Amino acid sequence: MKIATISLACSLLCATSLAPASAQTQPYPVRPVTIVTGFPPGGISDVLARALAARLSVQMGQSVIVENRPGAGTTIASAYVAKAAPDGYTLLFQDMTTHAINAEAYKRLPFDALNDFSLISLVASTPLMMVSSLGSKAGDVKSLVELAKKKQSQVSYASSGNGTIMHLAGESFKQAMGIDSLHVPYKGGAPSVQAVVAGEVTYSFLSMPPAVAQAKAGKIHALAVTTAKRVAAMPDVPTFKEQGIPLEIVLYSGLIGPKGMPPAVVSRLNEEVRKALESPEMKQTLANAGADALASTPAEFDRLLKSQATAMAQAVKLANVTLD
């Protein structure tokens, strides 16, 4: 396809008016696509984002790479994507941390979590698993609660960072059980996993891939999962509901981009995500992660995001989580 060359001067003067039309007339994608995640490598968002990127690369015939921009409870990555050109080449693999918890936990954000993005498709729903260190001698939820009540100053829990779903789960658990324990935030899921394995903290709420691996290796105790039903990847681990504890947390994740993306590009990406989730590779990744595929239309994504923002706002207030 022959594309007319536009002078630099005209590009600078006319970028705003020409960009939307150009994005709609050019085939997509004509260059590599970047999926940004707000977490370091190793956590559930990174695992799912990389699996999705690999499938999209094959399906669309163009490189799709994952870029980790961790920090500030995922707000660094979210702000970066919100300010990117809305051409479909910079996307965000988001979860409820980025667009539900932070909307309430931060008084000021450099973006509007509900209105500054183009929603493409949900990708998955994932439980968390509560685990404890071997050295704590707390092999079940009951013994952990007893330990916390006896030795509050010595009990602590790790999270993947302030304002993350792991942080909110930890605070919600404390509220539900009437206990106190020290929150120790780490820079991502992988360091928080190692903190429990090493006995630096008493317990944590972890995403399924690392939790399953470490539990099966006998390096941590698996105490409970946060979904209403048991997880196939760890069928012997009970739910909180089974133990009479009113705690249910599901981590929803999806693919979004900057506000104003061309409808044709959103539609193409939505179609490709749906196709990717049907692939054997993605099905295996999801199974290993204890996750369920959750493709959606942008409208369905919008409805769930808004309902989760409302639910998480209540949870954030109840747990008294403030980040600025």
Side-chain angles (χ1 to χ4, degrees):
M1 178 179 178
K2 185 176 180 180
I3 302 174
T5 302
I6 303 174
S7 69
L8 177 60
C10 182
S11 295
L12 292 173
L13 290 172
C14 306
T16 301
S17 61
L18 292 180
S22 175
Q24 292 177 4
T25 57
Q26 291 182 11
Y28 174 85
V30 295
R31 55 187 172 84
V33 176
T34 298
I35 297 178
V36 179
T37 175
F39 298 97
I44 185 64
S45 290
D46 181 71
V47 169
L48 295 181
R50 290 183 184 280
L52 179 62
R55 284 307 309 163
L56 294 180
S57 296
V58 172
Q59 293 171 194
M60 298 196 297
Q62 187 62 257
S63 296
V64 180
I65 61 175
V66 173
E67 180 179 336
N68 300 90
R69 285 180 172 262
T74 74
T75 61
I76 292 175
S78 298
Y80 175 79
V81 173
K83 296 174 183 178
D87 52 13
Y89 291 97
T90 304
L91 308 173
L92 178 69
F93 194 89
Q94 64 84 237
D95 64 21
M96 289 305 111
T97 296
T98 64
H99 285 72
I101 298 175
N102 287 349
E104 179 64 28
Y106 284 91
K107 296 178 182 178
R108 292 176 297 276
L109 284 173
F111 56 86
D112 185 320
L114 297 179
N115 298 306
D116 283 351
F117 298 89
S118 297
L119 306 185
I120 297 167
S121 177
L122 287 163
V123 174
S125 62
T126 315
L128 299 178
M129 185 187 292
M130 185 183 189
V131 303
S132 63
S133 66
L134 298 182
S136 70
K137 307 298 183 183
D140 53 45
V141 175
K142 182 180 178 181
S143 59
L144 176 61
V145 171
E146 291 174 350
L147 177 65
K149 289 182 176 180
K150 291 178 180 178
K151 301 180 179 180
Q152 290 189 8
S153 63
Q154 299 177 35
V155 175
S156 60
Y157 77 93
S159 81
S160 54
N162 286 318
T164 61
I165 193 75
M166 289 76 173
H167 179 196
L168 184 59
E171 293 301 309
S172 297
F173 177 72
K174 287 165 56 177
Q175 290 285 336
M177 305 311 298
I179 63 171
D180 193 17
S181 57
L182 176 66
H183 172 225
V184 184
Y186 288 81
K187 294 182 178 180
S192 65
V193 172
Q194 290 307 311
V196 184
V197 172
E200 296 174 7
V201 294
T202 312
Y203 67 98
S204 183
F205 285 82
L206 302 178
S207 58
M208 292 299 289
V212 170
Q214 298 296 342
K216 288 186 174 181
K219 295 182 178 180
I220 54 177
H221 295 300
L223 308 186
V225 290
T226 61
T227 41
K229 297 181 180 180
R230 294 196 183 197
V231 178
M234 292 290 284
D236 294 332
V237 180
T239 66
F240 279 101
K241 184 178 180 180
E242 287 178 88
Q243 301 177 70
I245 301 171
L247 183 63
E248 184 177 335
I249 297 175
V250 179
L251 181 63
Y252 294 100
S253 57
L255 191 66
I256 66 177
K259 181 180 180 179
M261 285 176 56
V265 173
V266 172
S267 179
R268 171 72 190 282
L269 285 167
N270 181 277
E271 179 184 343
E272 296 294 349
V273 170
R274 288 175 177 273
K275 183 178 177 181
L277 291 175
E278 291 297 322
S279 69
E281 295 88 347
M282 279 298 295
K283 287 182 176 180
Q284 186 60 56
T285 297
L286 291 167
N288 292 342
D292 293 321
L294 197 65
S296 71
T297 65
E300 290 168 339
F301 193 172
D302 181 63
R303 286 193 292 272
L304 178 63
L305 184 58
K306 288 177 179 176
S307 69
Q308 283 293 300
T310 299
M312 289 297 178
Q314 296 173 345
V316 166
K317 289 178 181 178
L318 180 64
N320 195 30
V321 176
T322 57
L323 300 174
D324 60 0

